Amino acid sequence: MSEPFIKTSNKDLLDPVQITAGVIEKKQPLPILANILIRKDGVNVTFLGSDNQIFVKAKTVIGSGEGQFATTLSAKKLTDILKTFDPSDEVSLSQDKSRIKLVCGKSKFELQPLPAENYPEIVEDETFNLAFSMPCSRFKDMLNKVQFATDVNGQRYFLNGILLDVQENNVVAVATDGHRMSYFKVDLEEPCKNPTQAIILKKTSKELLRLVPDSDEILHVHLSDNKIKVTFKLIEVISNLIEGKYPDYKRVIPPNNSKVFTVTHKDLKKSLKKVKILTTDQVKNVCWNLKPGSLSFKVTNTDMEEAEDEISIDYNGEALEIYFNVDFFLEMLEAIEADSFKIALETSMSSSLVQITDNDNYKYVVMPVRM
């Protein structure tokens, strides 16, 4: 048996394994895509996981000895084994003939690798341009505020992703399923030299939300014609982009809704959760009845059961009855942290506009249900 190519604490090995294993699908078209590529060059060790559309790379300095070595191991088996050890336990990986030997104290595992040369490598695109940089926490917050509104398995494939509209002084993130749209604008500290648009995969945004820390460390986003590269800490995420032209989101935002009122996050969420109890999986419609001084919600289901609740609001305009899918509002309320919202309505057939009170950077547009 040769000398270990990795010898380190269990935590320092498990961390990059879990970072890269998260992108790997349970069912893979290629057996090798169930594995993690481990590439050693002296003390520097790189871990790579992929589903062939998204590549997640983690760089570490846990190599043992000089020289180079590369192999691939089952992501699930390696993760499950390492999770049985304590974080401070010493773990080693070495090559033993055609197998990889993992040793931790008196525990020994012999694992069957697949050839590293068969692992799909990242095709580095020479046309990557730095699009923008911002703190990790701000980037994560931007994705979180819009991701919930993406389409799910829709025929218009470009709606299954998130639009990043990179402008000179800000980045706008937009997601829509054709019935509602979530929009969030983040100002850039340094101007962007190459304004552009890109549609990122929903899975890519989920991976970024999983990996990006809530910290002030700077994150860098690079774009090419068909890929996005996001780097932070010692982690790099490269993903394909969705091809297609995204709808003109600016035209979706209603400019002149006249029935405007403010409601607290707590009151709106509490009332909607009450009446949702009597909705069904097939019918999520809730009637909103707007009157001077009050907003009431009512549900009548197929069993002719009824639920009704009312909250007080500061409103002196015309009355309006309008129906909305209750989940469209509850999902927004889960994603957006704010004390209160300004809601602007117009007619029972026109879209509504929801904004965080005194903050124009967030907009949520919802189409009513036609009854």
Side-chain angles (χ1 to χ4, degrees):
M1 185 181 75
S2 61
E3 291 296 315
F5 59 88
I6 288 178
K7 191 173 185 180
T8 186
S9 71
N10 182 49
K11 181 182 186 306
D12 287 344
L13 177 57
L14 180 58
D15 282 351
V17 168
Q18 289 184 309
I19 286 169
T20 51
V23 74
I24 296 173
E25 300 284 357
K26 291 182 179 179
K27 294 183 179 180
Q28 289 287 357
L30 299 173
I32 200 165
L33 286 178
N35 285 17
I36 294 173
L37 173 66
I38 304 173
R39 192 181 296 281
K40 172 193 178 297
D41 185 1
V43 297
N44 299 306
V45 183
T46 300
F47 296 79
L48 180 66
S50 174
D51 66 354
N52 228 14
Q53 280 196 306
I54 308 169
F55 294 82
V56 177
K57 181 189 294 185
K59 301 176 182 179
T60 65
V61 284
I62 59 174
S64 177
E66 299 179 354
Q68 298 178 336
F69 182 76
T71 189
T72 78
L73 292 173
S74 164
K76 185 178 187 310
K77 291 176 184 176
L78 187 56
T79 302
D80 289 347
I81 291 169
L82 296 176
K83 281 183 175 180
T84 66
F85 306 138
D86 292 333
S88 59
D89 287 346
E90 185 178 80
V91 180
S92 67
L93 291 176
S94 57
Q95 186 177 26
D96 188 1
K97 296 181 181 179
S98 63
R99 298 190 177 186
I100 300 298
K101 191 167 187 177
L102 188 157
V103 178
C104 180
K106 296 182 179 181
S107 301
K108 298 178 182 179
F109 296 84
E110 290 189 0
L111 304 175
Q112 185 64 53
L114 291 174
E117 57 268 24
N118 293 344
Y119 200 88
E121 289 280 14
I122 301 172
V123 179
E124 289 285 0
D125 194 321
E126 296 181 0
T127 62
F128 271 123
N129 292 310
L130 175 62
F132 61 88
S133 302
M134 65 175 61
C136 286
S137 57
R138 194 177 302 172
F139 180 81
K140 189 171 185 176
D141 181 55
M142 176 179 70
L143 290 185
N144 190 60
K145 278 182 163 61
V146 301
Q147 179 183 257
F148 68 92
T150 53
D151 200 0
V152 180
N153 300 322
Q155 293 182 348
R156 293 175 292 179
Y157 188 58
F158 51 85
L159 296 188
N160 295 344
I162 294 173
L163 173 71
L164 294 181
D165 186 1
V166 187
Q167 302 171 17
E168 183 177 0
N169 296 309
N170 57 65
V171 179
V172 175
V174 179
T176 181
D177 61 4
H179 302 285
R180 37 92 179 260
M181 182 188 80
S182 193
Y183 160 115
F184 187 61
K185 182 176 71 173
V186 177
D187 294 330
L188 295 174
E189 295 179 2
E190 295 185 8
C192 171
K193 297 179 181 179
N194 303 292
T196 186
Q197 288 191 349
I199 309 173
I200 65 174
L201 296 162
K202 186 172 184 178
K203 183 179 177 182
T204 303
S205 69
K206 285 185 175 181
E207 282 301 302
L208 290 169
L209 286 171
R210 178 178 72 90
L211 296 171
V212 175
D214 289 311
S215 72
D216 292 331
E217 184 172 355
I218 299 301
L219 171 148
H220 304 284
V221 176
H222 305 256
L223 292 169
S224 71
D225 289 339
N226 54 16
K227 286 185 176 62
I228 182 172
K229 177 167 69 174
V230 182
T231 58
F232 53 96
K233 285 190 171 182
L234 295 175
I235 299 173
E236 181 177 282
V237 179
I238 296 180
S239 169
N240 292 344
L241 295 173
I242 296 176
E243 296 183 2
K245 185 172 177 58
Y246 208 81
D248 184 356
Y249 62 87
K250 296 176 184 177
R251 296 180 59 185
V252 176
I253 301 170
N256 299 311
N257 283 4
S258 61
K259 299 175 179 62
V260 183
F261 60 93
T262 300
V263 61
T264 67
H265 185 289
K266 180 180 178 181
D267 287 347
L268 183 60
K269 185 176 181 179
K270 189 175 181 179
S271 285
L272 289 177
K273 288 186 76 171
K274 286 179 182 177
V275 298
K276 182 189 174 179
I277 294 170
L278 293 190
T279 63
T280 65
D281 291 339
Q282 292 74 32
V283 182
K284 299 286 187 178
N285 305 338
V286 171
C287 177
W288 292 37
N289 198 335
L290 178 64
K291 295 180 181 179
S294 70
L295 175 64
S296 64
F297 308 97
K298 185 176 181 179
V299 167
T300 303
N301 63 25
T302 53
D303 293 327
M304 302 309 294
E305 298 172 320
E306 291 187 356
E308 190 170 354
D309 197 47
E310 182 178 302
I311 55 179
S312 297
I313 58 172
D314 183 11
Y315 176 70
N316 297 311
E318 296 179 3
L320 175 67
E321 185 177 273
I322 187 170
Y323 287 80
F324 290 112
N325 182 318
V326 67
D327 284 346
F328 286 177
F329 274 88
L330 286 175
E331 288 170 0
M332 182 274 295
L333 292 168
E334 286 293 333
I336 308 301
E337 295 182 4
D339 292 332
S340 63
F341 295 95
K342 180 176 71 174
I343 300 180
L345 308 174
E346 188 59 30
T347 72
S348 61
M349 304 297 285
S350 59
S351 57
S352 67
L353 175 62
V354 182
Q355 295 177 266
I356 299 172
T357 306
D358 301 323
N359 185 344
D360 290 335
N361 286 343
Y362 182 73
K363 303 180 193 298
Y364 185 55
V365 180
V366 189
M367 291 296 297
V369 178
R370 296 179 182 270
M371 300 299 291

